[in-house]
């Protein structure tokens, strides 16, 4: 099973991907983690990636596609977290492999802001949060209708406890 998890920053994607991947032995491919690692290297690619991440901007599609391809190619099951984030990336993904379902974790903007301010990651500063939400709306949200048209989208209400959201996902995937 090849899954994509989609949602605004702060929707609880990372938490759910962690739980579902462990429970059902699916490899998780977490783009943000891969990029944070890449950004730690003191080379040109590292500096470039860091530049975008610190500003809450998306790292350019060419860089992302070049990095992610080797994590995906040849695998017949995985969960993707944080990729694709643009239509261009979704098209790039399609040229590598077909995904089965896209889980969209839906959380209203007010709640997402509250959660991010409480999380305190390096790119969770108020100005950067605002910008990441804007980037999400403009560049990533269009993927919801993109995958809806392909009949792959599964909408999950992301409000409530972690366990409740997990149960909704399992039910939607017929895991339970
Ligand atoms: P995340 O941990 O998923 O919130 O990602 C943290 C940051 O990494 C984002 O704000 C972007 O700067 C960058 N990033 C993660 N995934 C992608 C992607 N698929 N395309 C472009 N930039 C990304």
């Amino acid at each position: 099973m090849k899954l994509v998890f989609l949602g605004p920053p702060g929707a609880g994607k990372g938490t759910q991907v962690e739980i579902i991947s462990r429970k059902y032995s699916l490899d998780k491919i977490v783009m943000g983690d891969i990029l944070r690692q890449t950004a730690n290297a003191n080379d040109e690619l590292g500096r470039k990636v860091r530049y975008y991440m610190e500003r809450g901007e998306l790292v350019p599609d060419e860089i992302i596609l070049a990095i992610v391809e080797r994590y995906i190619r040849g695998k017949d099951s995985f969960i993707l977290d944080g990729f694709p984030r643009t239509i261009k990336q979704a098209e790039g993904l399609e040229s590598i492999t077909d995904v089965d379902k896209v889980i969209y974790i839906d959380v209203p903007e007010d709640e997402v802001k509250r959660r991010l301010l409480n999380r305190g990651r390096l790119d969770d500063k108020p100005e950067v949060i605002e910008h990441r939400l804007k980037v999400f709306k403009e560049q990533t949200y269009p993927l919801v209708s993109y995958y809806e048209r392909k009949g792959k989208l599964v909408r999950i209400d992301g409000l409530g406890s972690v366990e409740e959201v997990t149960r909704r996902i399992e039910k939607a995937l017929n895991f339970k």
Side-chain angles (χ1 to χ4, degrees), residues 79-129:
I79 301 185
L80 283 170
D81 171 359
F83 173 85
R85 253 176 158 105
T86 64
I87 299 280
K88 189 108 181 279
Q89 291 179 16
E91 289 167 353
L93 173 61
E94 251 161 69
S95 71
I96 306 170
T97 192
D98 248 336
V99 298
D100 300 299
K101 288 251 177 310
V102 176
I103 307 289
Y104 174 56
I105 304 186
D106 196 2
V107 174
E109 188 165 336
D110 284 0
E111 172 65 10
V112 154
K113 277 188 197 161
R114 204 184 57 77
R115 292 186 190 178
L116 289 172
L117 285 167
N118 285 324
R119 190 166 73 172
R121 208 171 70 186
L122 212 60
D123 55 351
D124 286 341
K125 298 187 201 83
E127 332 74 81
V128 183
I129 288 177

Side-chain angles (χ1 to χ4, degrees), residues 84 90 93 99 102 143-153:
L93 173 61
V99 298
V102 176
L143 289 176
V144 169
S145 44
Y146 178 89
Y147 283 119
E148 209 154 37
R149 279 197 299 275
K150 293 184 183 286
K152 294 192 170 174
L153 195 84

